[in-house]
């Protein structure tokens, strides 16, 4: 390539980067909560202490109560009921409690106290539940990683709703356009997409790299056949396709563009035959009913 052409390419790339940086600066990415920083610091110790973690969580009365409520829910509580944060940690394990706290902190940071995004968070919690179930059944990821990915999978959506007045319209278009990919439509209208923004938040919050990369690729179905991508990331993406299918069925929606796009490569990656998929979705459906 001639020197002038190389220089021009570099200048264009730099310009595109500056435009992208300016866009990202205009989107409100909540900073990592100090409580999460303290939790992650303790978890990074060679021998993290449940008592110290309980003390960190206990400094926020609202978070403590919300964690106990979640820990004692039908999905997590089983026969034992935790009466303190330390008991909840002992019952569920350090990593699972940290995953639950991370989700609670995300809701607090993004939704505030007005509850305007209740339906979004309900769907996120349902997806997290489905991903934990699928990951346990197929043994593809630790429960806390699956849970966090499920909660944060679409975390870019409320951030883009806050940034762009017409983003709700974009979501509606993307959900009905069979010809173009979901994130391609977002990119065309807003020069970014919820997967990229969600990945950025996950990285800024110090979440697992598997979680942040799976968020980035969760609508990128060709990645499921890309052997250069880590298997753990592809497995999370594949499981998310099954989870979304399960949620749609639970809500009585027969058709799904995302299942038509990603269902076949997801099942192929997970090594599932059609009858195994149906059995898994039936069990997931039953799990959803049991939880209510």
């Amino acid at each position: 390539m001639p020197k002038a052409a190389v220089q021009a390419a570099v200048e264009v790339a730099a310009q595109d980067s500056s435009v992208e940086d300016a866009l990202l600066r205009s989107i409100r990415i909540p900073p990592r909560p100090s409580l999460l920083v303290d939790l992650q610091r303790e978890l990074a110790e060679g021998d993290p202490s449940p008592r110290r973690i309980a003390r960190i969580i206990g400094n926020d009365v609202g978070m403590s109560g919300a964690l106990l409520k979640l820990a004692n829910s039908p999905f997590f509580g089983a026969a034992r009921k935790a009466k303190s944060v330390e008991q909840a940690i002992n019952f569920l394990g350090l990593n699972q409690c940290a995953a639950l706290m991370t989700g609670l902190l995300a809701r607090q940071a993004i939704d505030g106290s007005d509850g305007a995004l209740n339906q979004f968070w309900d769907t996120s919690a349902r997806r997290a539940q489905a991903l934990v179930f699928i990951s346990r059944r197929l043994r593809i990821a630790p429960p806390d990683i699956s849970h966090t990915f499920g909660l944060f999978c679409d975390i870019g959506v409320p951030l883009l709703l806050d940034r762009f007045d017409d983003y709700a319209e974009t979501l509606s278009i993307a959900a009905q356009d069979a010809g173009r990919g979901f994130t391609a439509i977002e990119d065309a209208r807003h020069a970014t997409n919820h997967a990229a923004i969600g990945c950025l938040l996950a990285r800024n919050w110090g979440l697992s790299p598997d979680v942040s990369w799976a968020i980035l690729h969760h609508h990128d179905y060709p990645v499921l056949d890309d052997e250069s991508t880590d298997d753990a990331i592809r497995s999370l993406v594949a499981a998310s396709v099954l989870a979304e299918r399960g949620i749609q069925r639970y809500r009585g929606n027969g058709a799904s563009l995302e299942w038509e796009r990603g269902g076949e490569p997801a099942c192929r990656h997970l090594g599932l035959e059609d009858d195994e998929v149906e059995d898994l979705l039936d069990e997931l459906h039953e799990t959803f009913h049991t939880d209510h």
Side-chain angles (χ1 to χ4, degrees):
M1 182 182 290
K3 186 176 180 179
V6 172
Q7 181 62 30
V10 169
E11 290 175 358
V12 169
Q15 185 177 20
D16 288 347
S17 177
S18 64
V19 170
E20 182 179 334
D21 288 345
L23 173 64
L24 290 177
R25 283 196 297 272
S26 75
I27 296 171
R28 190 184 71 85
I29 304 289
R32 176 165 34 168
S34 59
L35 195 159
L36 182 59
V37 173
D38 293 341
L39 269 179
Q40 290 171 337
R41 184 181 297 121
E42 179 61 33
L43 286 168
E45 294 290 331
D47 185 22
S49 163
R51 182 163 294 176
R52 283 197 297 270
I53 288 178
R55 194 178 302 125
I56 290 168
I57 296 172
N59 287 332
D60 189 314
V61 176
M63 286 291 111
S64 299
L67 176 64
L68 277 173
K69 183 177 179 181
L70 267 179
N72 290 328
S73 67
F75 185 64
F76 290 105
R80 299 179 297 180
K81 295 296 180 184
K83 296 180 181 178
S84 68
V85 170
E86 191 167 353
Q87 274 193 344
I89 292 169
N90 289 330
F91 290 167
L92 298 177
L94 291 174
N95 290 334
Q96 186 61 64
C97 271
L100 292 176
M101 281 301 305
T102 304
L104 290 168
L105 290 166
R107 181 164 186 164
Q108 183 184 64
I110 292 172
D111 201 17
S113 58
D114 60 3
L117 295 169
N118 281 341
Q119 185 174 355
F120 170 82
W121 294 115
D122 287 347
T123 299
S124 296
R126 182 71 66 192
R127 185 189 304 108
Q129 178 186 359
L131 276 160
V132 170
F133 174 83
I134 293 167
S135 295
R136 280 176 172 160
R137 183 55 52 90
L138 301 180
R139 299 180 181 179
I140 57 174
D144 58 296
I145 294 293
S146 302
H147 189 270
T148 302
F149 171 52
L151 284 177
F152 281 77
C153 195
D154 283 343
I155 202 75
V157 168
L159 300 180
L160 291 177
L161 282 169
D162 184 61
R163 171 63 179 82
F164 299 108
D165 291 338
D166 61 343
Y167 184 69
E169 180 184 355
T170 300
L171 291 177
S172 178
I173 293 170
Q176 300 174 54
D177 191 324
R180 294 180 293 168
F182 201 103
T183 54
I185 292 169
E186 293 177 283
D187 286 333
R189 289 172 61 91
H190 306 295
T192 191
N193 61 73
H194 75 284
I197 297 301
C199 175
L200 181 62
L201 182 142
R203 290 169 60 187
N204 286 355
W205 279 34
L207 303 187
S208 160
D210 285 352
V211 169
S212 58
W213 284 113
I215 291 170
L216 181 65
H217 290 298
H218 75 276
H219 285 287
D220 179 18
Y221 303 128
V223 81
L224 293 168
D225 295 315
D226 179 9
E227 294 187 2
S228 67
T229 301
D230 192 283
D231 184 72
I233 295 167
R234 291 190 289 153
S235 293
L236 284 171
V237 172
S240 74
V241 178
L242 285 175
E244 291 296 338
R245 179 59 171 163
I247 293 170
Q248 291 298 319
R249 282 180 48 165
Y250 178 70
R251 292 176 172 170
N253 299 329
S256 166
L257 283 179
E258 294 307 303
W259 179 253
E260 290 176 16
R261 292 184 180 118
E264 184 179 340
C267 295
R268 183 168 59 248
H269 175 75
L270 296 172
L272 295 174
E273 301 293 339
D274 289 347
D275 58 337
E276 293 174 311
V277 172
E278 287 305 310
D279 288 345
L280 188 66
L281 291 175
D282 286 344
E283 290 182 55
L284 180 57
H285 192 80
E286 185 62 31
T287 299
F288 285 159
H289 276 293
T290 302
D291 189 41
H292 272 64

